[in-house]
Every structure is written in C-alpha cells, then in structure tokens.
Amino acid sequence: MSNTVPLLVIAGKPNVGKSTLFNRLSGKRISIVDAQPGVTRDIIEKTVSIEGRKFRVADTGGMEFFHGENDPLKKNMEEQVWRLFEQATCILLVVDGRTHFSSLDEEMVLRLRTTGRRVILVINKREGMTHEAVPAEFYSLGIPEILQVSATHGDGIVFLKELLVSTIPAAPFSPGEDHHDTPLRLAVVGRPNVGKSTLFNTLLGKERALVSDIPGTTRDAVESDLEHALSRLVLVDTAGLARRRKTDESVPFYASIRTRNSMRDAMVCILLIDSSQGITHQDKKIAQEIRQLGKGCLVFFNKIDIAEKLYKGIQKHQVVRAGRTQLPYLDYAVFLAGSALSPDLRSKILPEAAKIARRYYQTIPTSQLNKTVKEQVNDLACPMRGGKPLRIFYAYQESTAPPRFTFLSNFTGGDREIDRCVKVINRVMRENQNWEGVPITIVLKNS
C-alpha cells in the first residue's frame, strides 16, 4: 500500500510552520511544534484520510543548505529530505507569509524544479488574509499553484485539501487489499543514545531515522509501514525517555509525551538496553511503564560487541539471564542480545515481535480454561489465609490486548495471599499456552 498511496512532502525553511501544517492535515498533534527553529529533525510520515482519500504526508526538517563538516547531523538530515523528494507525488513548499522571501527560498525553488515533482507554494501565517490577493513578490518564484493558509487557525486548509483531492490521482484499488486489517504497531523505546534509531533503520532495511552520538537526536516519534511475511507492521522510533528532571525544556518535554503516546498505541514495545552500560535505574522505570500499560514486550540488549570487549569472557546468555533477574516487571518478555548494526537482526526480531503481537490477541476457549487450567490449579491447592486451599469454580477470558482472565473461586485473604495465588495461576496458564512476550492479567473473585 505504501508504494501506491500518493506522498505529500512538506518542505521549507526552519520555523515557517511545516509541523503545524502537518498536524493540521493529519487531524492530530503528531509533530512537535515549538517556537525554537530546527525542532523537527527526522522525517515524520503518516498515512491520513483527506476528504475520504488516503495520502501519505511527510513532515521534514527545515532546509538551510549548509553542509559544513562542523554539522554532519544537519547534512545527514538534508540528504534524507532530498532523497524523499524523489519519491514524492507532490511537494508543499511552505513559506512565512509575514516576511519577505529570501535568497534561500529562491534557491530551494530552483533545486526543487530539478526533481521534476509538482510543487505547490503554501504561504503560511496569513490568518484573516487568506481571501486577499497574494503578495506580488511570491509570484516571482515561478510556481503557478499558490495558496494562502494559516496552519495554526485553519484558514485556507479546506481549499488546500480540495486542491489535493481534485488534482492528485487516487491510488489504484487492489481487490485483495483488506482495508480493515489493522497493522501491528511496534514501538522502539529506551533511554537516550542506546541505539534506537540504529535498530529502527536496520529493521526497515534503509536509513530513515537520523543516527548520531548526540543524545536527544530523535525528538518526534518516527513511524514507517513495514511489510513482513507474518503480518503488516508499523514500526515506530521514539525519543529517548530521560529522567523527568531532565525534561524541563519544552522540546524534551513534548518529545517524552510523544514517546509515551507511542507506547500506549503500540501492541509491542521493543525495549533497548545498552549492554555495555548495564541496566540502569531509568531502564527499570521504563520497564515498569511498559508493564503498567499492559504491552507486549521484547527486550533487546544492544552493543553486545562492545560489552564483550569491556567485560572479557561475558557471553550473550549471561547478559540475558542477568537482565531477566534485574527486570522483574518484564518477567514475561522475550529477551535477545546482539548489535543493532547486525544485518541479520531483521530476520530475528521482526518474526519474534510479530508472534508476540499475535499472542497479544489470542483467546482461550472457556471449555479449555475450565477443564485444564482450573483442574491443574485446584490440584496445586494454593494455600490461602488459615491454610485453606484455593479452589476455582469457573474461569473465563474477559478481553484481549492485553489478555485478561477472571477466576471465580473460594478466595479469602489479603494482598500477600492474592499475589501468591495469582502467580500460581499465571504459571499454569503459561504452561498450557504460549504467552511468551505477553502480560496476563488475572482477576480472582470470591463466588
């Protein structure tokens, strides 16, 4: 689908309102918007519905055309944007309607013409003036299609949408395409600078997210559709979750909010941990958040090659074993170790993550719960207050994603007893069904 849906790329100088326009077309706040120039770094792409038609809309970082050796991150960002222009159906060039256009605007137009793509000039920040004549100076840029909008207030957005829908060909319809098939969302999460963007690019099989040794390079949640033999996936790269006292500034603060929203929307979280640094307090806090959200989880210990050099003799299985012990909140997770740069990682992580996502939605027949699980739990006679054994009378599954089960019983006791009995039921459940990577919620009710 992603190769046939029209791609709209939003481009322009820093701080002209590209992210605000992207959010307006998307119908939700996806890109971080801030008065500070250069907030958007990665390419943020979202498939959206505009007047009933599907479009892929991409928000890009501000173009400044300086590729000095002193700023390799900026150079990498702009190179990615220009590669994206080659794939675009249409480029929305955004300029600030409150200022005069500059030589940079002229240079950008000249270079965009070399792509051979259709360009629409969007004059932003024209609140209350969208019905007035376009300032004559903007015609000198030589772009025939010009619209005035206010992305913040919504002025002129209806006309922009009408233009896009009426002039851009629709994607060809595929009779075999299931439009109701929800893709599996995988969110790559972790502390800053543990290799999330590197893993994201490796799993995609292409360079999409910016990679840098500078902590905090990724600010927005970057997502991309990914076709896999087991299922249709949406992979999301997120900003690093730093300690709360480090998120006082607006951009890191909103980046952390976007990350937590991505975690809530995901079916599976891939938690990255830097094995060369060991498990930190912040890693444990993130693990706890994943468990509290009830998400499927795959824990990946990255930079194992560096850890092997630092701690001579250490092996992958030792790192994984220690990780299981130190992350009790994720005792259900799948644990792997390796290097995010390894080209064969894609064939290991994606199938495992897809299987976890499928288990996230699996259901157990009531008859199986009451024949197998109930009988085995009753045979174990888990002691309650006063030594009385637990007995299950009836069991049923309430919901999926995450799976939730209710057991009607003779239960009596306090928190200590309920924790012990729930652990027994959890163990029996996992012995009878493959729940690897998936949390199970068990509710004990007295009946």
Side-chain angles (χ1 to χ4, degrees), residues 356-368:
I356 294 172
R358 290 184 180 277
R359 294 177 200 130
Y360 199 56
Y361 284 92
Q362 74 179 339
T363 58
I364 307 301
T366 302
S367 58
Q368 181 179 334

Side-chain angles (χ1 to χ4, degrees), residues 259-330:
T259 295
R260 289 184 167 90
N261 287 342
S262 296
M263 291 169 66
R264 289 187 183 93
D265 293 340
M267 300 168 191
V268 178
C269 290
I270 302 176
L271 172 60
L272 247 70
I273 294 175
D274 187 337
S275 58
S276 68
Q277 297 179 4
I279 296 176
T280 68
H281 177 72
Q282 184 60 13
D283 291 324
K284 294 178 181 178
K285 291 286 289 183
I286 298 170
Q288 186 177 1
E289 286 193 47
I290 293 172
R291 181 62 184 91
Q292 288 173 342
L293 290 170
K295 299 302 176 182
C297 186
L298 186 153
V299 178
F300 181 69
F301 288 93
N302 189 26
K303 306 182 183 181
I304 196 69
D305 50 337
I306 299 176
E308 289 171 343
K309 293 177 182 177
L310 288 174
Y311 314 106
K312 293 183 179 180
I314 194 170
Q315 297 180 10
K316 287 183 181 180
H317 73 274
Q318 293 173 311
V319 173
V320 167
R321 186 171 59 203
R324 288 187 181 277
T325 302
Q326 295 179 55
L327 297 173
Y329 292 108
L330 297 179

Side-chain angles (χ1 to χ4, degrees), residues 245-257:
R245 64 183 177 89
K246 290 189 175 182
T247 58
D248 294 336
E249 297 179 8
S250 60
V251 172
F253 173 74
Y254 286 113
S256 67
I257 289 177

Side-chain angles (χ1 to χ4, degrees), residues 117-178:
R117 303 303 175 188
R118 175 184 176 185
V119 178
I120 298 175
L121 181 64
V122 180
I123 307 174
N124 191 28
K125 304 182 182 181
R126 296 283 288 172
E127 43 270 15
M129 298 181 285
T130 55
H131 294 287
E132 297 180 7
V134 174
E137 62 179 333
F138 288 104
Y139 285 109
S140 65
L141 292 173
I143 300 177
E145 293 181 293
I146 302 177
L147 283 175
Q148 301 183 96
V149 305
S150 169
T152 298
H153 299 279
D155 301 3
I157 297 299
V158 170
F159 298 105
L160 175 59
K161 289 181 176 180
E162 289 177 350
L163 177 64
L164 296 174
V165 170
S166 63
T167 60
I168 295 179
F173 173 71
S174 173
E177 182 179 357
D178 183 5

Side-chain angles (χ1 to χ4, degrees), residues 24-36:
R24 179 67 66 174
L25 292 176
S26 302
K28 60 177 68 174
R29 298 178 68 178
I30 298 172
S31 282
I32 296 174
V33 176
D34 193 89
Q36 174 186 337

Side-chain angles (χ1 to χ4, degrees), residues 1-7 53-56 89 168-179:
M1 181 186 73
S2 59
N3 293 327
T4 57
V5 175
L7 172 61
R53 285 265 307 279
K54 282 191 184 233
F55 290 87
R56 288 158 49 211
T89 307
I168 295 179
F173 173 71
S174 173
E177 182 179 357
D178 183 5
H179 294 280

